[in-house]
Amino acid sequence: MQFKQLSRIVMILVLGFFINSSLAKVLDIKMAISSAPSNLSPFYATDANSQNINRLIHITLTDFSKEMSFSCRFCETYEERMDGKKHIIKFKLKKNIKFWDGVIVSAKDVYNSWKYFTDKEVINSKFGYGLSRIIDVKVINDFEVELIYEGFNPDNISDLALLKIVKIKKEDIIPNISYKKIVGAGPYRIKRESELEVVLEPLLKGRPELVFKVVKDETTLALKLINKEIDLSLASISPRKLFWLKENVEGIDFHNVEGTNLIYMGINHKNEFLRDLKVRKAISLLIPREKIIKYKLKGTATPASSFFSKAFSAMFIENGADKYNQEESSRLFKEAGFKKNSSGFWAKNGKELALTFRVSNNKNTIETVETMKDYLKKGGVSVAVSVQEWGTFYRNLKQGNFDLVIGQWVGFTGPAILRFVFHSESIPPNGANRGFFVNKEFDKFIDKATVEQDETKRNNYYKQALEISNREYSYINLWHPNIIWIGRSCIKNIDIQPNGSFLPLLDMVNDCER
């Protein structure tokens, strides 16, 4: 009898142990982000964190894969055709997608969502412009739909990542509609949100809650990682602090991939000196990219061989990044008619090569520009660094009021951006050709690419335009920052995308205990 009772007690204790062990498993994943989402409504979510959280709570017809190619989310397949000038994309939809209220999502909901996003009178979405190229949405049956565009545009498919499939009650269609009035069909929905936290609850059992915590200070971020208050950091962090974490903290992993964003040195092609190609190339040869990346950025970036990183396989240019070469730079300056003056700077016709280098008041960027200034001075170029608060800096950047400037392009999805940035018709206020780069041969290839329906031919035109951009130094390409996520080692199956999308969070495995 005593043996049976003892056995029963042991079984209870063992069972209790396993129950407690299972309860110890974390039911959420706490993640750090650098800034709060500005607006969680899919109609007005323009910043990166708002857009990325919306990727988790809403579905789209297509999105981007790790290779930066189009992949289906709500669609099973899609096909394109032309009908005269009209560009038509036909989608076959998945049949097992449900709204949060349990109703199956159908082709009619694609039509309704398009109407919501292009409604200028009431909803007035921030994304109405790109989606307004769709002139009609034809519902073929419950799970087949055609999007009809007024004409072909390379951005027609890529812009569909902005078209979230949603459902709204008629009485809730009002200006500045809140996310709380919108029914989505994504794998998560917002459970609660505040100024410093957004919590997403899963629609399927077995998925963890996703808790996004705003951590603006990187020292605080480091402490939260050390204390296991944060399981995964998606926040930006300085190379210095990143290096410190690698050297001093155990139990965390560093996940990184070469990103799609571009850090560049903008050049004003109207400047009397910089309009000379040899001068632009000579300046590029005085930028020690590899040293800056190694010592200042602690290996958190990759030298840029063109506008596009390796993530854009069709556009990537091998070995296009200039390496520091002061001797070759000097030769080019001499060929361009420059001589060193008594101050040791290059001058032409008695006028010294003196340039203003504008930079925002970001500490890390200022330090990087000061390093560039030292090397340019060593190479005979007189540079005055003008540090400005962000609003003033950005206004001068948009107006092309600079000789040299450090800028960054983020969030672009393909080569169509080249028209906006470098085409002669895109000089402000008509676009972002802020350095006033004008090249007829470049324009010709961009114009061909814009109307070419065959993807292979279109990419070839873009590639030729890109090679002209490189050859003519429309920009001085610097580097592509890596996308870096820092997580506890117990967070598994993290496969980050080069555009920083939060979609890989859907595949995370949580093995942590608290």
Side-chain angles (χ1 to χ4, degrees), residues 410-447:
V410 303
F412 54 91
T413 56
I417 192 175
L418 293 175
R419 168 178 282 277
F420 182 61
V421 175
F422 295 129
H423 198 282
S424 61
E425 292 180 358
S426 294
I427 289 173
N430 300 317
N433 187 352
R434 297 156 182 161
F436 309 102
F437 172 71
V438 176
N439 185 286
K440 291 183 178 179
E441 188 182 9
F442 174 90
D443 289 352
K444 179 185 72 174
F445 284 117
I446 291 295
D447 291 339

Side-chain angles (χ1 to χ4, degrees), residues 26-57:
V26 180
L27 300 178
D28 60 24
I29 299 178
K30 292 181 171 62
M31 291 169 288
I33 53 178
S34 298
S35 58
S38 63
N39 197 318
L40 290 170
S41 169
F43 299 114
Y44 317 111
T46 54
D47 63 288
N49 284 334
S50 298
Q51 280 274 8
N52 275 319
I53 289 175
N54 265 274
R55 275 185 159 93
L56 304 175
I57 60 180

Side-chain angles (χ1 to χ4, degrees), residues 6-18:
L6 181 61
S7 298
R8 189 177 294 115
I9 291 170
V10 170
M11 289 179 66
I12 291 171
L13 290 172
V14 171
L15 182 59
F17 171 79
F18 283 110

